[in-house]
Amino acid sequence: MPMYSFHNKDLAGGASIHYNMHFDKIFQTIRFGVNAKRYCYSNYGLPKLNFNKIAPEIKIEFRKKHLNNSLKHSIRARHVNVWQDVAESDTAFPTMFWYDIYNFSYRDITYQIGNNRKINPYNVAINIHGDGGFYKTSVTANYQLTFKKKKKAFDIRFYAGAFSNFSGGEYGNYFLHASGGTGAQDYLYDNVFLGRSETDGFLSHQFTETDGAMKVYTPLGRTDGWLASLNLKSSLPGKLPVKLFADFSIYPGSAAGAPKSLYDAGVYIPLVKDMIEIYIPLLMSQDIKDVFYLNNPDLVAINQIGEKDPNPFKRTMRMIRFTFNIHKMNPFELVRNLSL
């Protein structure tokens, strides 16, 4: 998928190549391949700050007992290599920059079992990845309770993640996040962001439903310990184009304190299911509101800080977020995952 950036006058895009071997015993398929991509990740007024990623991988799909069985389980191992351009300034000459390239390598392995049956499908994924300076282990389980009426369902997602051997990170944002992932937090560069490094404006509201997958952004719930979350989504009766969501997360408090908790709830509009969705929060923890107003002083007068909710409408408008999972539109993967 070659591209060209007219703004940076530079090449961009992605590519992948895979080879499949099919077997009669134990394994259904062993797939060897490599994925690569190159995009601008930030400009900050500077030209050609790109990242380059090459990730060789192997995926083993275990053989089904019966060909018409919809139960699948597989193991995927990959080695993610990222080269990221950086520009830093000298404190004595802040307008002068020097450029360098930082290289990051991550080992990543995932075991997944799932059943994409039409009634009550589910999947569970166990993931371990790290770079030697940290290792992150997580379990993500999804279950869909289907209703009799077509396209009506109740979705349940559970996530639990924890760090081991974490020594911090000088350049990587490796923490667990209750609020899912932003572009700056996508250190594996697995997702596509319209504005990966944007900090304000419309594009900065894009996120991925990873880690805690809460739909409201908050710096709360950022941890190098552990994180557990429950995410719920439900259809509404009738032909309304909106659905409901609710999220609950817990994470460590102080060393001697009890775990802290966060919650949010609201409505969302699935423009393209699981790919392009808009989330509008209506309820949330009081501490999420308090931190939001501290970071948005223009919405509250100094003598109003501490009030219950001084400007709920403008707060809601600024908290709207969206997903743009264009990588899920890969036609080759869609065909491979068809349920027959």
PDB file of all heavy atoms in Angstrom, residues 262-283:
ATOM      1  N   LEU A 262     -12.657   3.702  38.861  1.00  0.00           N
ATOM      2  CA  LEU A 262     -13.185   4.695  37.932  1.00  0.00           C
ATOM      3  C   LEU A 262     -14.375   4.094  37.203  1.00  0.00           C
ATOM      4  O   LEU A 262     -14.451   2.878  37.014  1.00  0.00           O
ATOM      5  CB  LEU A 262     -12.117   5.097  36.896  1.00  0.00           C
ATOM      6  CG  LEU A 262     -10.798   5.673  37.407  1.00  0.00           C
ATOM      7  CD1 LEU A 262      -9.804   5.763  36.246  1.00  0.00           C
ATOM      8  CD2 LEU A 262     -11.005   7.044  38.031  1.00  0.00           C
ATOM      9  N   TYR A 263     -15.289   4.959  36.755  1.00  0.00           N
ATOM     10  CA  TYR A 263     -16.391   4.462  35.938  1.00  0.00           C
ATOM     11  C   TYR A 263     -16.823   5.547  34.971  1.00  0.00           C
ATOM     12  O   TYR A 263     -16.606   6.743  35.192  1.00  0.00           O
ATOM     13  CB  TYR A 263     -17.571   3.991  36.798  1.00  0.00           C
ATOM     14  CG  TYR A 263     -18.310   5.099  37.521  1.00  0.00           C
ATOM     15  CD1 TYR A 263     -19.309   5.851  36.886  1.00  0.00           C
ATOM     16  CD2 TYR A 263     -18.010   5.407  38.845  1.00  0.00           C
ATOM     17  CE1 TYR A 263     -19.977   6.862  37.546  1.00  0.00           C
ATOM     18  CE2 TYR A 263     -18.676   6.427  39.521  1.00  0.00           C
ATOM     19  CZ  TYR A 263     -19.671   7.142  38.857  1.00  0.00           C
ATOM     20  OH  TYR A 263     -20.319   8.156  39.498  1.00  0.00           O
ATOM     21  N   ASP A 264     -17.452   5.135  33.893  1.00  0.00           N
ATOM     22  CA  ASP A 264     -18.095   6.054  32.965  1.00  0.00           C
ATOM     23  C   ASP A 264     -19.242   5.330  32.272  1.00  0.00           C
ATOM     24  O   ASP A 264     -19.333   4.104  32.297  1.00  0.00           O
ATOM     25  CB  ASP A 264     -17.104   6.647  31.952  1.00  0.00           C
ATOM     26  CG  ASP A 264     -16.557   5.614  30.972  1.00  0.00           C
ATOM     27  OD1 ASP A 264     -17.055   4.483  30.931  1.00  0.00           O
ATOM     28  OD2 ASP A 264     -15.593   5.933  30.247  1.00  0.00           O
ATOM     29  N   ALA A 265     -20.131   6.093  31.657  1.00  0.00           N
ATOM     30  CA  ALA A 265     -21.268   5.522  30.930  1.00  0.00           C
ATOM     31  C   ALA A 265     -21.806   6.574  29.976  1.00  0.00           C
ATOM     32  O   ALA A 265     -21.609   7.781  30.178  1.00  0.00           O
ATOM     33  CB  ALA A 265     -22.358   5.060  31.897  1.00  0.00           C
ATOM     34  N   GLY A 266     -22.474   6.116  28.930  1.00  0.00           N
ATOM     35  CA  GLY A 266     -23.023   7.048  27.964  1.00  0.00           C
ATOM     36  C   GLY A 266     -23.595   6.332  26.765  1.00  0.00           C
ATOM     37  O   GLY A 266     -23.983   5.156  26.844  1.00  0.00           O
ATOM     38  N   VAL A 267     -23.641   7.031  25.645  1.00  0.00           N
ATOM     39  CA  VAL A 267     -24.161   6.462  24.401  1.00  0.00           C
ATOM     40  C   VAL A 267     -23.084   6.537  23.333  1.00  0.00           C
ATOM     41  O   VAL A 267     -22.160   7.346  23.418  1.00  0.00           O
ATOM     42  CB  VAL A 267     -25.427   7.208  23.927  1.00  0.00           C
ATOM     43  CG1 VAL A 267     -26.541   7.092  24.953  1.00  0.00           C
ATOM     44  CG2 VAL A 267     -25.120   8.677  23.641  1.00  0.00           C
ATOM     45  N   TYR A 268     -23.198   5.652  22.345  1.00  0.00           N
ATOM     46  CA  TYR A 268     -22.267   5.712  21.221  1.00  0.00           C
ATOM     47  C   TYR A 268     -22.986   5.409  19.925  1.00  0.00           C
ATOM     48  O   TYR A 268     -24.052   4.766  19.913  1.00  0.00           O
ATOM     49  CB  TYR A 268     -21.084   4.776  21.432  1.00  0.00           C
ATOM     50  CG  TYR A 268     -21.352   3.295  21.254  1.00  0.00           C
ATOM     51  CD1 TYR A 268     -21.022   2.632  20.073  1.00  0.00           C
ATOM     52  CD2 TYR A 268     -21.919   2.547  22.284  1.00  0.00           C
ATOM     53  CE1 TYR A 268     -21.246   1.274  19.924  1.00  0.00           C
ATOM     54  CE2 TYR A 268     -22.145   1.197  22.148  1.00  0.00           C
ATOM     55  CZ  TYR A 268     -21.811   0.554  20.965  1.00  0.00           C
ATOM     56  OH  TYR A 268     -22.042  -0.790  20.816  1.00  0.00           O
ATOM     57  N   ILE A 269     -22.413   5.907  18.846  1.00  0.00           N
ATOM     58  CA  ILE A 269     -22.985   5.748  17.504  1.00  0.00           C
ATOM     59  C   ILE A 269     -22.031   4.901  16.671  1.00  0.00           C
ATOM     60  O   ILE A 269     -20.920   5.355  16.350  1.00  0.00           O
ATOM     61  CB  ILE A 269     -23.204   7.115  16.828  1.00  0.00           C
ATOM     62  CG1 ILE A 269     -24.054   8.017  17.714  1.00  0.00           C
ATOM     63  CG2 ILE A 269     -23.847   6.934  15.457  1.00  0.00           C
ATOM     64  CD1 ILE A 269     -24.127   9.467  17.232  1.00  0.00           C
ATOM     65  N   PRO A 270     -22.399   3.663  16.334  1.00  0.00           N
ATOM     66  CA  PRO A 270     -21.527   2.816  15.502  1.00  0.00           C
ATOM     67  C   PRO A 270     -21.724   3.126  14.017  1.00  0.00           C
ATOM     68  O   PRO A 270     -22.572   2.540  13.350  1.00  0.00           O
ATOM     69  CB  PRO A 270     -21.988   1.399  15.846  1.00  0.00           C
ATOM     70  CG  PRO A 270     -23.436   1.556  16.230  1.00  0.00           C
ATOM     71  CD  PRO A 270     -23.590   2.945  16.799  1.00  0.00           C
ATOM     72  N   LEU A 271     -20.938   4.070  13.495  1.00  0.00           N
ATOM     73  CA  LEU A 271     -21.052   4.393  12.069  1.00  0.00           C
ATOM     74  C   LEU A 271     -20.696   3.181  11.221  1.00  0.00           C
ATOM     75  O   LEU A 271     -21.379   2.858  10.244  1.00  0.00           O
ATOM     76  CB  LEU A 271     -20.147   5.578  11.726  1.00  0.00           C
ATOM     77  CG  LEU A 271     -20.451   6.880  12.462  1.00  0.00           C
ATOM     78  CD1 LEU A 271     -19.479   7.968  12.045  1.00  0.00           C
ATOM     79  CD2 LEU A 271     -21.892   7.326  12.212  1.00  0.00           C
ATOM     80  N   VAL A 272     -19.594   2.501  11.573  1.00  0.00           N
ATOM     81  CA  VAL A 272     -19.222   1.204  10.999  1.00  0.00           C
ATOM     82  C   VAL A 272     -18.827   0.335  12.187  1.00  0.00           C
ATOM     83  O   VAL A 272     -17.835   0.640  12.858  1.00  0.00           O
ATOM     84  CB  VAL A 272     -18.048   1.312  10.001  1.00  0.00           C
ATOM     85  CG1 VAL A 272     -17.724  -0.061   9.426  1.00  0.00           C
ATOM     86  CG2 VAL A 272     -18.381   2.299   8.891  1.00  0.00           C
ATOM     87  N   LYS A 273     -19.590  -0.690  12.479  1.00  0.00           N
ATOM     88  CA  LYS A 273     -19.426  -1.476  13.708  1.00  0.00           C
ATOM     89  C   LYS A 273     -17.988  -1.944  13.894  1.00  0.00           C
ATOM     90  O   LYS A 273     -17.380  -2.496  12.994  1.00  0.00           O
ATOM     91  CB  LYS A 273     -20.372  -2.679  13.688  1.00  0.00           C
ATOM     92  CG  LYS A 273     -20.278  -3.546  14.946  1.00  0.00           C
ATOM     93  CD  LYS A 273     -21.304  -4.637  14.941  1.00  0.00           C
ATOM     94  CE  LYS A 273     -21.051  -5.678  16.006  1.00  0.00           C
ATOM     95  NZ  LYS A 273     -20.757  -5.157  17.317  1.00  0.00           N
ATOM     96  N   ASP A 274     -17.460  -1.695  15.097  1.00  0.00           N
ATOM     97  CA  ASP A 274     -16.110  -2.090  15.519  1.00  0.00           C
ATOM     98  C   ASP A 274     -15.010  -1.363  14.764  1.00  0.00           C
ATOM     99  O   ASP A 274     -13.830  -1.642  14.989  1.00  0.00           O
ATOM    100  CB  ASP A 274     -15.891  -3.603  15.380  1.00  0.00           C
ATOM    101  CG  ASP A 274     -16.797  -4.409  16.293  1.00  0.00           C
ATOM    102  OD1 ASP A 274     -17.123  -3.893  17.385  1.00  0.00           O
ATOM    103  OD2 ASP A 274     -17.180  -5.538  15.928  1.00  0.00           O
ATOM    104  N   MET A 275     -15.361  -0.443  13.886  1.00  0.00           N
ATOM    105  CA  MET A 275     -14.352   0.255  13.089  1.00  0.00           C
ATOM    106  C   MET A 275     -14.406   1.764  13.300  1.00  0.00           C
ATOM    107  O   MET A 275     -13.426   2.379  13.713  1.00  0.00           O
ATOM    108  CB  MET A 275     -14.501  -0.090  11.606  1.00  0.00           C
ATOM    109  CG  MET A 275     -14.249  -1.561  11.301  1.00  0.00           C
ATOM    110  SD  MET A 275     -14.281  -1.913   9.537  1.00  0.00           S
ATOM    111  CE  MET A 275     -14.129  -3.694   9.550  1.00  0.00           C
ATOM    112  N   ILE A 276     -15.562   2.365  13.025  1.00  0.00           N
ATOM    113  CA  ILE A 276     -15.720   3.808  13.204  1.00  0.00           C
ATOM    114  C   ILE A 276     -16.903   4.025  14.138  1.00  0.00           C
ATOM    115  O   ILE A 276     -18.056   3.804  13.754  1.00  0.00           O
ATOM    116  CB  ILE A 276     -15.942   4.529  11.864  1.00  0.00           C
ATOM    117  CG1 ILE A 276     -14.807   4.225  10.882  1.00  0.00           C
ATOM    118  CG2 ILE A 276     -16.053   6.036  12.092  1.00  0.00           C
ATOM    119  CD1 ILE A 276     -15.019   4.808   9.507  1.00  0.00           C
ATOM    120  N   GLU A 277     -16.607   4.434  15.370  1.00  0.00           N
ATOM    121  CA  GLU A 277     -17.647   4.610  16.377  1.00  0.00           C
ATOM    122  C   GLU A 277     -17.391   5.900  17.149  1.00  0.00           C
ATOM    123  O   GLU A 277     -16.239   6.243  17.434  1.00  0.00           O
ATOM    124  CB  GLU A 277     -17.684   3.413  17.333  1.00  0.00           C
ATOM    125  CG  GLU A 277     -18.019   2.114  16.611  1.00  0.00           C
ATOM    126  CD  GLU A 277     -18.028   0.907  17.530  1.00  0.00           C
ATOM    127  OE1 GLU A 277     -17.356   0.944  18.584  1.00  0.00           O
ATOM    128  OE2 GLU A 277     -18.705  -0.090  17.198  1.00  0.00           O
ATOM    129  N   ILE A 278     -18.464   6.620  17.495  1.00  0.00           N
ATOM    130  CA  ILE A 278     -18.378   7.884  18.226  1.00  0.00           C
ATOM    131  C   ILE A 278     -18.973   7.686  19.618  1.00  0.00           C
ATOM    132  O   ILE A 278     -20.106   7.199  19.747  1.00  0.00           O
ATOM    133  CB  ILE A 278     -19.128   9.003  17.477  1.00  0.00           C
ATOM    134  CG1 ILE A 278     -18.522   9.210  16.076  1.00  0.00           C
ATOM    135  CG2 ILE A 278     -19.070  10.314  18.272  1.00  0.00           C
ATOM    136  CD1 ILE A 278     -19.301  10.178  15.217  1.00  0.00           C
ATOM    137  N   TYR A 279     -18.229   8.068  20.665  1.00  0.00           N
ATOM    138  CA  TYR A 279     -18.638   7.849  22.048  1.00  0.00           C
ATOM    139  C   TYR A 279     -18.930   9.177  22.735  1.00  0.00           C
ATOM    140  O   TYR A 279     -18.100  10.091  22.719  1.00  0.00           O
ATOM    141  CB  TYR A 279     -17.547   7.096  22.801  1.00  0.00           C
ATOM    142  CG  TYR A 279     -17.381   5.670  22.316  1.00  0.00           C
ATOM    143  CD1 TYR A 279     -16.508   5.375  21.272  1.00  0.00           C
ATOM    144  CD2 TYR A 279     -18.110   4.645  22.891  1.00  0.00           C
ATOM    145  CE1 TYR A 279     -16.370   4.079  20.805  1.00  0.00           C
ATOM    146  CE2 TYR A 279     -17.979   3.339  22.435  1.00  0.00           C
ATOM    147  CZ  TYR A 279     -17.106   3.069  21.392  1.00  0.00           C
ATOM    148  OH  TYR A 279     -16.979   1.781  20.932  1.00  0.00           O
ATOM    149  N   ILE A 280     -20.123   9.262  23.345  1.00  0.00           N
ATOM    150  CA  ILE A 280     -20.561  10.474  24.031  1.00  0.00           C
ATOM    151  C   ILE A 280     -20.779  10.126  25.502  1.00  0.00           C
ATOM    152  O   ILE A 280     -21.755   9.448  25.854  1.00  0.00           O
ATOM    153  CB  ILE A 280     -21.863  11.010  23.414  1.00  0.00           C
ATOM    154  CG1 ILE A 280     -21.681  11.223  21.897  1.00  0.00           C
ATOM    155  CG2 ILE A 280     -22.284  12.311  24.089  1.00  0.00           C
ATOM    156  CD1 ILE A 280     -22.965  11.525  21.160  1.00  0.00           C
ATOM    157  N   PRO A 281     -19.893  10.560  26.402  1.00  0.00           N
ATOM    158  CA  PRO A 281     -20.033  10.225  27.832  1.00  0.00           C
ATOM    159  C   PRO A 281     -21.114  11.079  28.499  1.00  0.00           C
ATOM    160  O   PRO A 281     -21.214  12.281  28.243  1.00  0.00           O
ATOM    161  CB  PRO A 281     -18.652  10.526  28.399  1.00  0.00           C
ATOM    162  CG  PRO A 281     -18.133  11.615  27.514  1.00  0.00           C
ATOM    163  CD  PRO A 281     -18.677  11.333  26.135  1.00  0.00           C
ATOM    164  N   LEU A 282     -21.904  10.455  29.354  1.00  0.00           N
ATOM    165  CA  LEU A 282     -22.947  11.168  30.085  1.00  0.00           C
ATOM    166  C   LEU A 282     -22.762  11.084  31.597  1.00  0.00           C
ATOM    167  O   LEU A 282     -23.157  11.988  32.321  1.00  0.00           O
ATOM    168  CB  LEU A 282     -24.337  10.612  29.702  1.00  0.00           C
ATOM    169  CG  LEU A 282     -24.698  10.701  28.210  1.00  0.00           C
ATOM    170  CD1 LEU A 282     -26.038  10.044  27.957  1.00  0.00           C
ATOM    171  CD2 LEU A 282     -24.706  12.152  27.739  1.00  0.00           C
ATOM    172  N   LEU A 283     -22.169  10.001  32.070  1.00  0.00           N
ATOM    173  CA  LEU A 283     -21.906   9.805  33.492  1.00  0.00           C
ATOM    174  C   LEU A 283     -20.451   9.416  33.680  1.00  0.00           C
ATOM    175  O   LEU A 283     -19.876   8.744  32.829  1.00  0.00           O
ATOM    176  CB  LEU A 283     -22.815   8.709  34.072  1.00  0.00           C
ATOM    177  CG  LEU A 283     -24.323   8.938  34.025  1.00  0.00           C
ATOM    178  CD1 LEU A 283     -25.050   7.670  34.449  1.00  0.00           C
ATOM    179  CD2 LEU A 283     -24.728  10.119  34.888  1.00  0.00           C
TER     180      LEU A 283
END
